[in-house]
Amino acid sequence: FDFTGEQMYQSFPTLNGPGEPIYAVEVARLSRRFVFEAQNDSADPLHGGHFIIMHTPNIVQTITGLEIRNFGQQGNLGRYPLHFHMNGDVSGTVVSKNVVRDSNQRCYVLHGTDNALVEDNVALN
């Protein structure tokens, strides 16, 4: 439909590929039941909380369904909203269905960490 209300054409994605016009969109729910929210620091508004999992090799972690707001500390190395630091092999670890909003520095960081599954997460602003 165009802006005058007249039908111009209709198209659908097909299994054979994008032979017709396709307009892909991503839709995500931005709120979660469990919220970690850092308070504003009046002296440094880009200084929020940080959630770090460090030096836990061979320990399975499950972080699912969190909303993390105002985390991360801009300018401070290693202070990210959700940070796995030097954990080695964490096979079986899952980070999924989380939202990081209004981050002050990056979002999801895995440093020196192997075999963690990170899926279906959202990062906004």
Side-chain angles (χ1 to χ4, degrees):
F1 295 91
D2 67 12
F3 290 107
T4 64
E6 295 182 29
Q7 185 171 354
M8 295 173 62
Y9 57 86
Q10 185 175 11
S11 63
F12 298 97
T14 66
L15 294 176
N16 296 327
E20 301 175 41
I22 297 175
Y23 301 96
V25 298
E26 294 181 1
V27 177
R29 187 172 51 88
L30 297 176
S31 62
R32 299 293 187 267
R33 170 173 257 154
F34 298 102
V35 178
F36 291 178
E37 183 171 12
Q39 294 180 345
N40 288 325
D41 182 346
S42 60
D44 186 354
L46 298 176
H47 188 265
H50 67 281
F51 183 161
I52 188 167
I53 298 93
M54 62 189 286
H55 304 289
T56 58
N58 303 310
I59 296 177
V60 174
Q61 309 283 342
T62 303
I63 302 171
T64 303
L66 294 179
E67 181 177 348
I68 301 170
R69 290 189 207 150
N70 193 31
F71 270 45
Q73 298 175 3
Q74 187 171 17
N76 291 330
L77 186 65
R79 299 298 187 245
Y80 312 119
L82 185 54
H83 182 194
F84 280 77
H85 181 76
M86 304 305 288
N87 293 297
D89 184 12
V90 292
S91 294
T93 289
V94 176
V95 179
S96 69
K97 299 176 178 65
N98 301 294
V99 174
V100 172
R101 297 178 71 173
D102 303 321
S103 171
N104 298 311
Q105 178 164 270
R106 299 187 176 96
C107 293
Y108 306 93
V109 176
L110 283 76
H111 173 229
T113 300
D114 304 312
N115 301 313
L117 176 64
V118 180
E119 68 177 356
D120 298 329
N121 294 289
V122 176
L124 176 70
N125 194 22

